[in-house]
Amino acid sequence: MPTISINLKDFEQLLGREALGDRPVTTAQLEAWLPLVKGELKDHESENGEVRIELQDSNRPDLWSCEGIARQIRIKLTGASSSYPFFKGTQPSKRRLKVAPGLERVRPYVAACTATGYPVTEAGLAQLLQVQEKLADIFGRKRHTVSIGLYRLPAIVFPVYYDLVKPDDARFTPLGFEEKMSLREILAVHPKGLEYGSLIAGHDRLPLLRDEEGQVLSLPPVINSREIGEVRVGDQDLFVEVTGTDLLMVLLTVNILAVNLADRGAAVKAVEALYPYATPLGKSLRTPLDFGKARTIPLKTIETALGQTIKAEQVRETLLAYGYEVTSSRDQVAVKLPPYRNDCMHAVDVVEDVAISLGYGEFTPVMPSQFTVGGLSRVEQLSDRVRDLMVGIGFQEIISNVMASRPELIDRMRLAGREEDRVVEVDNPMTQTYACLRQSVIPSLLRVEAASARSFYPHRLFEVGEVALVDPTAEVGSRTVTLLAALIAHASANFSEIHSCLDLLLYYLGCQYRLEPISHPSFLEGRAGRITVQGQPLGLIGELHPEVLEQWQVTTPAVAFELEVDRLAGENVAKS
Amino acid sequence: MDTSSLIDSLHPLEIKVLTALREHHAAAPSGALREDEIAQSALLETAQVSMAMGWLLAKTLARVQQETVTPIASLTKIGERYFEKYSPVERILSAVRAAAQTGKRLTIQDIQAHEGLEATETSRAVGALKKEGAIRIVAGGCVEATGAPSHTAESLRALLKQLRGTRRELKAIPEPLRPVVEQYAVKRGNTNEPFRIDDHVDRWYALTPEGKSVADLLAQQRPSDEVSQLTPELLKDGSWRSKRFRKYTISLRPPRLAAGKRHPYREFLDLVKQKLVGMGFQEMRGSLVETEFWNMDALYMPQFHPARAIHDVYYVKEPTHARAIAEPFLSRVADVHKDGSKTGSAGWGYNYDRGRARRLILRSQGTAVSARRLASAPQVPGKYFSIARCFRYDAVDATHACDFFQVEGIVLGPDINFRTLLGLLNLFAQEMAQAKESRFLPAYFPFTEPSVELHVRHPRLGWMELGGAGLFRPEVTLPLGIDVPVIAWGLGLDRMAMVALGIHDIRDLFSTDLELIRTTRGHF
């Protein structure tokens, strides 16, 4: 889903000597590795070594950075995962984050860590900012579930407080501004306040991160303080904080940021968050935290899904080379995801990782062997027959968009205010041109007619296509129906000509019909009829009203008929 | 061509023209005739003569003996307007003179605004008047009348009067006026002029020696012997035996036919349909309007998750919601989303919103049709496909249509696994793209695991992505009552279709241009 930029030199360094030897990374080489991360090379600038990669898997936010992509490939190349000791620590952290009561109703979760001893490089900062943006925007649904803050650690005096304050009771200088503003002003004026303020609106108090001395770190999830919350190239010690509405997503995000910084050489240390209310994992959370659990999968499950036998030991090696922690016995494997992943819901997720780690090319395709009978639906069979007949009668087939505008479907057809003026409308149209589903195919043919005066006459057009008819008794409020519409336009087109075509079509379809004269606004009075079969309406026929033609800016006479193909397919159609 | 077959191929119009020229030649051997004179003598329309003349010249039976070109001056629409409402030159001059009497000071902008003129016409008229000394520009950009007469303004008025409703030879216009006509006549790049000068060409035609001998031969034949069309009457009474049938010039382009024809894109889709049926697939149909439930929830796409953002959808305005979602599917899917229920899955771990499940949308993916099929007792083993109209909330451009066909389907059976999935994709590669080489890449779809992207080497297009597929997650199949593995597949055929039809804009698949539809040939 996200497309990210990485720098090839930076990527090389993150891959490391052990994985790479002395070879430089070429784009061809990178492309060969990308299946491991479900990545696709988008483009490449050879001058500055910037490469853009689209990552498909929306459940693998750990891959949405140069560090993450390099990590997955490095593990494959070296056969071993890096160790991240900070997940193992059990001692209470000296650095604490105290959560105020009431936040459970506003933005309940916060987690943090520190990363020291890594002077931030230019490429490293670019990745930090990119991963912060992509995680918060896509994984965190525009900061709703997860938002991230990065700070200069030396400026902070612990403990840090995750507080709730009234909008006028705190002031700080937000990023991008020069002077102090109240929280209320920030929400009203700052671009980020306008963009994200709605996430915390509706509460009389707002979340605020402050340190022991009252310095504001940020107004999550809106904006950081300019003083503490602006990381620059060369900063050595960072404080990383994540707030959000989903505890596991918050924890996972901290874990990803922690391993990313650790991969660049930072020493990550835990921060302990103390909650006044219960979280799914208790009142005290020491993060980064490996909350994943091992699961046991029978070897048989993996073999059945892959369609071939595989030894438990091979599964173990394959998954180790993909970052898992694995133990295997004769007929089962116990697997645990690394702490920066939480995308294993089912054994099938592990099966896919086995296949990816082995390489899809390693599997020999086998044809499905079971016999099945092919065939078309009744409506499609009939549609094909109708199309064949219409072509034989001399009509050119048209295929149109099903979406249309209300003026096309209703106003130009003179149907406004009539029973027929009900169409399925879209609540969020992109443009008014495509705001409705057509309820008739005749407007589609008129659209062609209006655009085709330069094509020689006569014009005989038809379309067999789907429409949506409003029907309050239907499950989804409308029925999808297949209609045939036919239209003839030339200087002397008249009722008799289109009637002959209808008559011939229905003769070959073996359908006895009658025409009842009707009054219909789209057609000329006295030259319009309802097509009925055994008293049941099947469709309409007539000479299009001059005002309809005028509205469509069609300058030749036109005649048309339209009927329901589904009804022809039904049992109730009389056979002669 | 010898003379007799040349005669046989002559069109009746040509014969009439030749005859007229021959008669004139007999009267005045060195003379020639204009088209209108021929028309008069042969009792034809001038247009018929000029058509026949074209053919005769091409066959070198006639020649142009003399040609004269006469420039003719006339008024354009603008000229007629100037006659009524005066030209910019006249209007500016009279405005400036009027101002001189009242002592008012006018700038060019004042005049332009007051007279409602364009900037370009104003500056040109002012320039002309200034050049001949009728006005001058003084300090402050004000325009003053000098009192001198304006030749341009007077000439324009005279010409507008003389040429109104009539045409005159340019050389019949007296000398002081003629350069003004030429200056203010329509030219390439400037069509906003009051006059136009058209070249009137007169040609005098005469027979060539060959034409003369053909015409002489013609005169000896009885014209009634020749017919152009065999008729039932000629057949009935046998009189065709004494007729000569005019020979046609068969190399001419024939008139176009308005044929009955399938749409070129339909021909492509029919081929796809035929291949799928041939491979044992049954067609499925579905509804254009769907619930979020069948479009997404049943496919294990969580209600609040970025995976859903791939499917930005159109929402239905009225009614907004379906009344109900069929049980037991709703409860089962809700449970699976919450905690995996009995599927062996951990679930998404959130509280499923049953109200949102009923929200009506326009179907965004053909997989919705597959989900419904799975829930209505499909055959096992079974293969299904649909060519379903789908809607995506995208800005319409050369690569995005507001609605489009998706070719999708499912394969279910006890023998389905990752390798048979690859086998099926190989079959698609061969059947759909005639590709001998294919590659499988890991892919991500919210409802399948493992997921595969199929890349093939198309004989003409080279390596291309042909489709995506995977094994439906148990979280999808089990709640719908399916306990065998199921392949979900989709083919991206539009690019192939566009190449086959020779078009470059996806909107042209549903073109409204009849000429394009009539003339597009598919190369399948």
Side-chain angles (χ1 to χ4, degrees):
Chain A
M1 273 214 304
T3 299
I4 66 160
S5 296
I6 68 169
N7 179 288
L8 274 187
K9 276 268 163 285
D10 188 39
F11 178 69
E12 260 175 38
Q13 280 175 10
L14 283 160
L15 269 183
R17 264 295 161 81
E18 193 193 342
L20 213 50
D22 290 330
R23 293 169 299 164
V25 177
T26 61
T27 43
Q29 177 60 69
L30 177 64
E31 229 175 338
W33 284 328
L34 283 180
L36 285 169
V37 297
K38 296 187 190 173
E40 192 190 330
L41 197 62
K42 282 310 208 190
D43 49 38
H44 169 234
E45 273 185 51
S46 42
E47 295 124 58
N48 55 13
E50 291 292 319
V51 174
R52 282 161 56 77
I53 297 170
E54 183 180 355
L55 296 151
Q56 286 194 32
D57 197 331
S58 59
N59 294 334
R60 288 288 308 270
D62 61 300
L63 296 175
W64 299 354
S65 60
C66 191
E67 296 90 333
I69 295 172
R71 183 183 312 122
Q72 190 72 71
I73 295 168
R74 187 174 62 236
I75 295 169
K76 182 72 191 171
L77 294 178
T78 61
S81 303
S82 317
S83 72
Y84 299 108
F86 46 87
F87 287 111
K88 307 267 192 262
T90 48
Q91 267 144 338
S93 168
K94 276 183 257 165
R95 296 205 158 108
R96 297 200 165 173
L97 210 170
K98 293 186 175 172
V99 181
L103 272 159
E104 68 269 33
R105 289 185 298 277
V106 182
R107 194 166 178 82
Y109 304 113
V110 63
C113 69
T114 62
T116 52
Y118 156 63
V120 176
T121 61
E122 200 168 314
L125 184 62
Q127 288 300 317
L128 262 182
L129 297 179
Q130 178 172 268
V131 78
Q132 177 185 16
E133 184 216 317
K134 299 290 178 189
L135 288 180
D137 196 45
I138 300 173
F139 184 62
R141 292 180 45 235
K142 301 200 188 303
R143 303 193 187 178
H144 173 75
T145 28
V146 164
S147 67
I148 300 165
L150 300 167
Y151 311 86
R152 287 181 291 115
L153 180 62
I156 300 170
V157 182
F158 281 83
V160 169
Y161 295 89
Y162 184 36
D163 271 345
L164 267 182
V165 297
K166 295 215 168 101
D168 299 310
D169 288 0
R171 302 172 65 79
F172 71 99
T173 313
L175 279 178
F177 276 65
E178 302 288 338
E179 65 279 347
K180 290 200 171 194
M181 299 163 79
S182 74
L183 305 187
R184 188 186 299 281
E185 287 164 350
I186 290 172
L187 292 188
V189 174
H190 198 282
K192 299 289 175 191
L194 297 171
E195 195 175 351
Y196 300 108
S198 62
L199 295 173
I200 44 175
H203 299 282
D204 54 355
R205 290 181 303 162
L206 303 173
L208 194 70
L209 279 164
R210 291 190 282 208
D211 75 355
E212 176 69 11
E213 295 190 340
Q215 303 181 85
V216 173
L217 279 71
S218 68
L219 166 65
V222 178
I223 188 74
N224 276 12
S225 136
R226 185 191 158 108
E227 278 97 32
I228 308 180
E230 187 170 34
V231 175
R232 298 182 203 103
V233 171
D235 283 342
Q236 294 228 6
D237 304 317
L238 305 181
F239 176 67
V240 177
E241 146 279 315
V242 180
T243 62
T245 56
D246 181 305
L247 180 60
L248 293 189
M249 284 170 78
V250 166
L251 295 178
L252 183 68
T253 305
V254 171
N255 292 357
I256 291 169
L257 294 167
V259 294
N260 281 6
L261 285 161
D263 282 358
R264 290 191 178 273
V268 172
K269 290 210 178 64
V271 170
E272 190 164 2
L274 301 172
Y275 287 84
Y277 45 86
T279 78
L281 295 175
K283 284 186 150 189
S284 156
L285 286 176
R286 183 186 188 280
T287 57
L289 173 67
D290 185 1
F291 57 88
K293 293 192 177 59
R295 71 188 292 157
T296 305
I297 301 173
L299 198 58
K300 191 86 200 118
T301 304
I302 297 172
E303 289 182 325
T304 307
L306 291 178
Q308 66 185 38
T309 57
I310 186 167
K311 290 204 160 55
E313 181 52 27
Q314 197 190 352
V315 173
R316 193 180 80 89
E317 281 169 14
T318 306
L319 288 176
L320 281 176
Y322 204 64
Y324 279 73
E325 294 167 31
V326 197
T327 55
S328 64
S329 62
R330 227 173 71 85
D331 56 359
Q332 61 182 36
V333 288
V335 300
K336 190 190 150 303
L337 283 176
Y340 47 86
R341 286 182 61 180
N342 185 32
D343 59 316
C344 176
M345 275 181 279
H346 194 279
V348 292
D349 296 299
V350 180
V351 170
E352 187 186 72
D353 283 346
V354 171
I356 291 175
S357 184
L358 279 173
Y360 282 9
E362 295 301 304
F363 293 85
T364 311
V366 179
M367 273 299 298
S369 57
Q370 295 196 303
F371 179 79
T372 58
V373 177
L376 297 177
S377 67
R378 181 89 184 92
V379 176
E380 188 64 16
Q381 287 177 39
L382 200 64
S383 298
D384 280 350
R385 263 197 89 195
V386 165
R387 278 195 280 260
D388 272 355
L389 288 166
M390 291 306 292
V391 165
I393 300 172
F395 284 73
Q396 167 67 55
E397 187 184 14
I398 301 296
I399 306 180
S400 306
N401 284 111
V402 170
M403 292 189 96
S405 71
R406 197 176 164 85
E408 287 177 311
L409 297 174
I410 304 300
D411 302 341
R412 292 189 194 171
M413 301 307 293
R414 304 176 81 229
L415 295 175
R418 303 250 317 180
E419 188 193 336
E420 293 92 335
D421 88 352
R422 291 189 306 168
V423 290
V424 174
E425 286 185 59
V426 167
D427 217 0
N428 56 331
M430 190 69 105
T431 73
Q432 287 306 318
T433 321
Y434 304 112
C436 303
L437 294 186
R438 64 180 177 184
Q439 87 292 21
S440 163
V441 178
I442 292 178
S444 302
L445 298 183
L446 281 168
R447 186 150 65 189
V448 172
E449 199 45 50
S452 302
R454 73 184 176 101
S455 195
F456 70 101
Y457 290 89
H459 293 174
R460 292 193 181 84
L461 316 176
F462 83 99
E463 177 169 357
V464 176
E466 287 179 321
V467 304
L469 300 181
V470 170
D471 181 353
T473 66
E475 180 197 355
V476 293
S478 62
R479 284 183 295 125
T480 298
V481 171
T482 303
L483 298 185
L484 159 68
L487 179 143
I488 301 177
H490 58 82
S492 54
N494 61 25
F495 186 88
S496 155
E497 185 180 356
I498 192 77
H499 189 189
S500 296
C501 299
L502 173 74
D503 191 71
L504 193 62
L505 174 75
L506 292 181
Y507 169 77
Y508 285 122
L509 292 173
C511 174
Q512 278 190 322
Y513 74 100
R514 294 166 64 109
L515 289 192
E516 288 171 12
I518 52 159
S519 249
H520 189 285
S522 301
F523 299 103
L524 264 180
E525 186 73 22
R527 299 183 185 186
R530 173 173 288 121
I531 310 163
T532 64
V533 173
Q534 284 193 336
Q536 295 294 309
L538 183 71
L540 296 171
I541 183 170
E543 293 192 7
L544 287 164
H545 197 284
E547 199 176 295
V548 170
L549 299 176
E550 244 175 43
Q551 301 244 30
W552 279 97
Q553 297 186 321
V554 170
T555 51
T556 35
V559 291
F561 72 77
E562 177 164 70
L563 53 82
E564 281 191 39
V565 174
D566 301 63
R567 282 190 193 251
L568 290 172
E571 294 299 317
N572 57 347
V573 172
K575 301 283 171 192
S576 56
Chain B
M1 208 190 287
D2 61 51
T3 313
S4 75
S5 50
L6 193 61
I7 287 175
D8 289 343
S9 76
L10 288 175
H11 191 276
L13 289 176
E14 291 175 289
I15 294 174
K16 285 186 178 165
V17 169
L18 282 174
T19 309
L21 286 172
R22 181 172 172 276
E23 282 164 11
H24 184 72
H25 181 77
S30 64
L33 286 176
R34 280 206 316 258
E35 271 182 10
D36 57 324
E37 293 166 337
I38 299 174
Q40 210 169 20
S41 130
L43 303 175
L44 292 172
E45 300 290 326
T46 323
Q48 292 176 307
V49 173
S50 74
M51 186 161 62
M53 216 59 232
W55 300 333
L56 291 171
L57 287 172
K59 294 175 185 169
T60 64
L61 297 177
R63 65 190 169 85
V64 177
Q65 181 165 308
Q66 193 196 336
E67 184 174 292
T68 61
V69 178
T70 319
I72 305 278
S74 61
L75 287 194
T76 63
K77 284 228 162 69
I78 289 172
E80 282 164 27
R81 214 177 64 219
Y82 283 0
F83 175 79
E84 303 279 349
K85 305 199 166 148
Y86 295 91
S87 64
V89 168
E90 295 168 279
R91 284 162 66 182
I92 289 171
L93 187 64
S94 84
V96 172
R97 284 179 177 163
Q101 289 181 354
T102 59
K104 220 166 111 192
R105 293 168 61 80
L106 285 175
T107 65
I108 294 177
Q109 286 73 23
D110 293 338
I111 301 172
Q112 185 180 323
H114 185 257
E115 296 291 327
L117 295 169
E118 300 284 330
T120 49
E121 39 185 24
T122 311
S123 66
R124 184 172 169 212
V126 167
L129 290 167
K130 206 175 120 204
K131 197 175 162 198
E132 60 187 5
I135 60 169
R136 63 170 166 257
I137 313 283
V138 296
C142 289
V143 186
E144 274 181 14
T146 58
S150 164
H151 171 64
T152 309
E154 285 156 19
S155 305
L156 278 173
R157 184 52 29 194
L159 285 164
L160 289 169
K161 269 188 201 157
Q162 286 180 22
L163 290 174
R164 184 161 175 257
T166 180
R167 301 154 58 85
R168 285 185 72 180
E169 272 187 40
L170 188 63
K171 61 175 191 245
I173 295 173
E175 179 52 45
L177 294 180
R178 209 183 302 148
V180 179
V181 177
E182 280 164 349
Q183 193 189 342
Y184 287 90
V186 170
K187 294 172 198 76
R188 183 195 293 275
N190 185 11
T191 52
N192 296 322
E193 294 287 2
F195 309 117
R196 54 183 302 148
I197 300 172
D198 298 299
D199 283 342
H200 178 79
V201 181
D202 277 315
R203 289 193 184 88
W204 280 264
Y205 298 98
L207 291 173
T208 60
E210 199 186 359
K212 171 82 169 55
S213 59
V214 167
D216 290 346
L217 267 176
L218 275 172
Q220 292 157 23
Q221 293 177 353
R222 282 193 307 148
S224 58
D225 283 351
E226 193 184 273
V227 292
S228 65
Q229 179 72 45
L230 181 61
T231 61
E233 288 68 32
L234 292 176
L235 280 168
K236 225 175 273 170
D237 63 14
S239 60
W240 63 268
R241 287 188 171 78
S242 62
K243 299 292 178 192
R244 292 164 42 81
F245 293 93
R246 182 169 62 80
K247 292 185 181 167
Y248 293 156
T249 311
I250 58 169
S251 57
L252 296 177
R253 285 201 67 162
R256 281 178 68 189
L257 278 184
K261 198 168 68 61
R262 277 189 296 166
H263 192 282
Y265 186 33
R266 172 75 60 199
E267 292 182 281
F268 178 86
L269 291 174
D270 278 351
L271 204 65
V272 169
K273 198 165 80 178
Q274 185 192 327
K275 293 200 167 178
L276 286 166
V277 170
M279 287 184 261
F281 285 86
Q282 276 278 346
E283 197 212 4
M284 318 177 271
R285 307 278 286 205
S287 171
L288 296 173
V289 176
E290 258 303 354
T291 52
E292 285 205 17
F293 180 84
W294 289 108
N295 196 78
M296 292 178 271
D297 303 351
L299 296 167
Y300 199 55
M301 294 168 68
Q303 290 174 318
F304 303 100
H305 192 272
R308 204 105 159 187
I310 310 174
H311 292 279
D312 281 339
V313 296
Y314 285 111
Y315 292 97
V316 173
K317 192 186 260 178
E318 168 69 37
T320 55
H321 289 78
R323 270 195 302 277
I325 300 294
E327 291 289 6
F329 305 113
L330 176 63
S331 296
R332 288 189 196 155
V333 167
D335 291 348
V336 164
H337 277 237
K338 193 172 189 330
D339 60 12
S341 189
K342 295 163 207 146
T343 63
S345 170
W348 283 110
Y350 73 103
N351 276 325
Y352 181 81
D353 178 352
R354 290 181 179 224
R356 183 155 173 205
R358 293 187 291 111
R359 185 71 175 98
L360 291 173
I361 58 170
L362 304 190
R363 175 172 67 203
S364 75
Q365 47 182 349
T367 324
V369 184
S370 299
R372 290 239 187 209
R373 180 69 265 202
L374 287 178
S376 50
Q379 288 179 338
V380 180
K383 295 200 197 103
Y384 294 93
F385 80 98
S386 69
I387 300 181
R389 194 73 76 121
C390 298
F391 306 83
R392 288 275 167 88
Y393 191 69
D394 272 326
V396 173
D397 59 27
T399 54
H400 296 88
C402 65
D403 58 78
F404 52 92
F405 285 114
Q406 244 184 14
V407 183
E408 290 219 16
I410 46 177
V411 177
L412 57 168
D415 67 333
I416 294 306
N417 56 46
F418 186 61
R419 286 173 67 201
T420 47
L421 165 67
L422 301 185
L424 179 79
L425 293 180
N426 259 353
L427 183 67
F428 282 152
Q430 290 157 19
E431 287 296 313
M432 295 297 175
Q434 294 80 49
K436 295 198 170 60
E437 275 183 85
S438 50
R439 273 192 312 182
F440 305 115
L441 293 177
Y444 174 78
F445 306 107
F447 38 80
T448 55
E449 196 85 13
S451 307
V452 189
E453 219 169 66
L454 169 64
H455 291 242
V456 301
R457 195 206 281 280
H458 187 277
R460 278 188 291 148
L461 307 179
W463 281 105
M464 60 173 277
E465 186 182 337
L466 184 66
L471 300 177
F472 262 137
R473 301 185 65 97
E475 295 96 324
V476 175
T477 52
L478 293 176
L480 300 180
I482 303 297
D483 58 4
V484 292
V486 180
I487 292 172
W489 57 267
L491 295 172
L493 301 177
D494 278 353
R495 173 141 179 263
M496 260 167 62
M498 287 166 69
V499 171
L501 303 182
I503 58 177
H504 307 284
D505 186 325
I506 199 162
R507 289 169 290 194
D508 285 341
L509 289 177
F510 298 151
S511 175
T512 57
D513 179 354
L514 181 58
E515 193 59 23
L516 181 75
I517 300 167
R518 278 173 161 174
T519 53
T520 300
R521 276 173 299 196
H523 300 278
F524 304 117

